[in-house]
Amino acid sequence: MGIADQLRGVDGRGEFGVWLGRLDGKAVLRHHAERTHYAASTMKLPVAIAMMRLVEAGELALDQAVTVHNDFASAAGGRFGVNPAEDEAPATWTHVGEEVSLGWLATEMITRSSNLATDLVLEQTGVDAANAVLAEYGSGASVIRRGIDDAGAQAAGISNLMSPADLAAVLVAVGNDTTTAGSYVRDLLAGNTWNGEIPALLPSGTRVEHKNGWDRRIRHDGGIVRPADAPPFVLVVCTTSELPDPEAQQLIAGIAFEAWTHRHDLEAIR
């Protein structure tokens, strides 16, 4: 079933955005690609890039010690903590009160999507640095304004937003980054252990450098797919909908599979 057919099948059930193209940054398919959604964990990619920029500048080091804690400055003033019941990556929590390396936290942030690890890394980089990465490559509509689970900021209307086009622009930048930092971030993305969306229907062993995100009514995934027999392509699908979560995952997986079948001639999808 074509991508347009799949999107027609969910018409009226929420907001769905798609960006599909090559690493040259040119889209072959856009569907509400400029519309922003709550970013969920897709914001962790700009955080990782901001971290590596500071590492390259000598302001941070991957082997530096960070004490694991759960008390952070809120973007709305005051303090907040991550809700452990909503963090599906338990490893960071086993080190509360202990020192771990910044690089280990970054791995947990991307490969396991740890919320606690994310806020610890974000505390090191600063929200402004992460937002600057998104602003540099994106349209300006997508923003990072707070950490994960900053309930006070959320209540004050301070949110993290992401559009498919802006996430795709960040992925294109990462995919074309020939530095050690670029390679490091791509390897983090390729190590993602949550693979129920873009990679789900692709042939086993296909390298997919992706970061997904989920919350109530939210399912997103964006990544670089690297077929062994065709040029890489970038796909981002963002969904804010009433679809049951497995259906939202199936939609993203189905769109990715359709892109895969056209990997030798992606432009034929138009």
Side-chain angles (χ1 to χ4, degrees):
M1 183 185 296
I3 294 175
D5 295 326
Q6 293 180 66
L7 292 170
R8 276 194 291 270
V10 294
D11 191 37
R13 301 184 68 185
E15 297 181 356
F16 305 91
V18 179
W19 192 101
L20 173 64
R22 297 285 189 191
L23 278 175
D24 61 5
K26 296 178 182 178
V28 300
L29 186 149
R30 289 174 176 260
H31 178 84
H32 299 308
E34 286 73 33
R35 180 184 294 166
T36 59
H37 300 248
Y38 172 57
S41 291
T42 62
M43 56 82 74
K44 297 171 184 178
L45 173 55
V47 174
I49 297 170
M51 180 196 73
M52 289 307 298
R53 287 183 172 182
L54 292 169
V55 168
E56 288 192 311
E59 297 179 39
L60 294 175
L62 291 174
D63 62 355
Q64 75 181 61
V66 178
T67 301
V68 177
H69 59 273
N70 188 25
D71 179 66
F72 304 97
S74 170
R79 312 291 295 180
F80 77 95
V82 175
N83 182 353
E86 294 187 359
D87 194 346
E88 297 176 84
T92 310
W93 293 91
T94 67
H95 293 284
V96 171
E98 302 173 0
E99 290 186 343
V100 298
S101 71
L102 179 62
W104 185 85
L105 288 171
T107 299
E108 287 296 301
M109 173 177 72
I110 298 296
T111 67
R112 303 286 181 179
S113 207
S114 167
N115 293 338
L116 182 58
T118 299
D119 285 345
L120 289 164
V121 176
L122 190 60
E123 189 174 56
Q124 297 294 316
T125 66
V127 171
D128 289 346
N131 189 57
V133 170
L134 193 50
E136 177 179 345
Y137 300 120
S139 65
S142 300
V143 292
I144 298 173
R145 291 287 184 250
R146 62 171 175 84
I148 301 287
D149 274 355
D150 187 346
Q154 184 177 9
I158 302 170
S159 192
N160 299 326
L161 303 175
M162 188 72 75
S163 73
D166 289 344
L167 182 54
V170 175
L171 287 162
V172 166
V174 169
N176 288 299
D177 186 346
T178 59
T179 69
T180 301
S183 178
Y184 183 87
V185 172
R186 288 193 297 273
D187 284 347
L188 286 180
L189 295 172
N192 191 345
T193 59
W194 299 98
N195 292 310
E197 296 88 27
I198 289 176
L201 299 179
L202 304 187
S204 178
T206 301
R207 182 176 170 99
V208 183
E209 300 157 3
H210 72 115
K211 186 69 200 82
N212 38 9
W214 57 92
D215 203 337
R216 285 175 287 275
R217 302 185 67 240
I218 300 290
R219 255 306 155 176
H220 310 323
D221 200 5
I224 304 167
V225 180
R226 297 187 182 273
D229 60 349
F233 62 88
V234 176
L235 173 65
V236 179
V237 184
C238 294
T239 76
T240 305
S241 75
E242 300 302 330
L243 294 180
D245 201 47
E247 286 189 29
Q249 289 184 287
Q250 290 168 15
L251 174 68
I252 299 172
I255 290 171
F257 181 74
E258 182 66 13
W260 174 267
T261 63
H262 289 84
R263 64 192 182 278
H264 298 291
D265 185 15
L266 207 62
E267 291 70 21
I269 289 182
R270 291 179 190 266

